[in-house]
Structures are given as C-alpha cells and as structure tokens.
C-alpha cells in the first residue's frame, strides 16, 4: 500500500511541477500599447439647468477621441425638490468645439464630429434633458473646457498593392 501512495505522489508531483514553473498568461503584465491604441473618454462639469418647478439637471460634457473623429455626449443627473431620488437622464442636442475662439468642430449630440487634433477646446452644447420617469424635462446651454491630447490620425501614404 505504501508503494502505491509513493507512486501516486510521484506522479502527481510530476504533473503539477510544470504548472508551478510556468507563469500563466493572466499573471503576466499586458504588453505596452501605443498612444493611439488607448481609448479615452474625458468629461468635465458643464453646468446646472433649472426649471420653473425647481427641477434641476447637473450636466457634464464628455468627449471620446478615436481619430479621425471626436464623439461628444452629455451625461446628466436630475432631480426635483419633492424627492431625494436622483435620476439618470437622457440627453440630446447639438455641440460646437472652439479653439482660440474659432469653431473647429460641431455635430449632433450624442454623435461624432471631425477631430481637429490635440489642444484645449471650449465645448458648448444646446442640450435637452429628460428623466425617466418623466418628471424632469429641461433644456439650455452648457459649456465645458476640455483638453485633448490624442494625436491627429495620419493619412496612409499612397495606394497599396494587393497580394
């Protein structure tokens, strides 16, 4: 009986040893990514909209850069005085992005526009906000300053041969 246990231990040790010596894939660090591969979303507080019935919506403007486009959307948290509940709200509207006082991109929100390159932008949005359940419905203008660092996409150099 003792020989069988020793043999079983030897076999188990032989089977487990390679697993102990090899680092599993999930244990290794991720390979470094280039700057262009790293997706990023940047948000900044843009303002609070208020209604006649004391409803409010705290709005942030956000952008995600995936060169050659820049997607702009608004995120809002809504409420009204009769309750302490905060609602996530649906937002839509239009946006413009200005750099050094000149408009360089615009579009509908949520949605993409052409990415004008790295820099500091004054983003202005005409936004509509609606809660679910529909107790808060507001619209107005909000503004945020966003600094984007993603490089501008490079155009491919000439046609490529297939094959």
């Amino acid at each position: 009986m003792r020989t069988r246990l020793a043999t079983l231990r030897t076999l188990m040790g032989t089977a487990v040893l390679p697993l102990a010596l090899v680092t599993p894939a999930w244990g290794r660090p991720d390979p470094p990514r280039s700057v262009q591969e790293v997706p990023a979303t940047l948000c900044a507080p843009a303002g609070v909209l208020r209604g006649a019935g004391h409803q409010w919506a705290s709005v942030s403007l956000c952008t995600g850069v995936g060169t050659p486009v820049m997607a702009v959307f608004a995120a809002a948290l809504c409420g009204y005085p009769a309750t302490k509940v905060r609602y996530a709200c649906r937002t839509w509207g239009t946006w413009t992005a200005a750099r050094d006082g000149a408009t360089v991109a615009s579009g509908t929100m949520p949605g993409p526009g052409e990415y004008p390159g790295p820099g500091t932008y004054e983003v202005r949005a005409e936004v509509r906000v609606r809660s679910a359940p529909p107790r808060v419905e507001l619209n107005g203008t909000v503004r945020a300053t966003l600094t984007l660092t993603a490089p501008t996409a490079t155009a491919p150099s000439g046609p490529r041969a297939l094959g």
Side-chain angles (χ1 to χ4, degrees):
M1 186 75 165
R2 204 156 214 218
T3 308
R4 290 171 92 188
L5 286 177
T7 305
L8 183 59
R9 282 186 194 150
T10 303
L11 288 174
M12 288 298 291
T14 306
V16 174
L17 182 63
L19 295 175
L21 296 176
V22 177
T23 304
W26 52 264
R28 288 186 221 133
D30 288 338
R33 296 180 176 190
S34 72
V35 173
Q36 290 180 337
E37 289 182 38
V38 178
T41 300
L42 177 67
C43 295
V48 177
L49 302 176
R50 299 196 184 279
H54 300 289
Q55 307 97 332
W56 57 268
S58 178
V59 181
S60 292
L61 289 176
C62 303
T63 185
V65 176
T67 55
V69 297
M70 164 169 117
V72 176
F73 62 96
L77 188 63
C78 300
Y80 57 97
T83 182
K84 291 185 180 189
V85 175
R86 304 293 185 249
Y87 299 98
C89 297
R90 181 175 179 252
T91 60
W92 68 98
T94 59
W95 62 272
T96 58
R99 182 173 47 197
D100 299 325
T103 299
V104 293
S106 63
T108 58
M109 187 173 52
E114 186 174 331
Y115 178 55
T120 299
Y121 296 92
E122 179 70 26
V123 181
R124 179 179 178 268
E126 296 294 326
V127 66
R128 293 189 58 125
V129 179
R130 181 178 297 151
S131 68
R135 299 198 176 168
V136 177
E137 188 163 341
L138 301 167
N139 61 356
T141 303
V142 293
R143 291 176 178 80
T145 301
L146 300 169
T147 301
L148 307 177
T149 58
T152 307
T154 56
S157 57
R160 294 185 189 184
L162 298 174

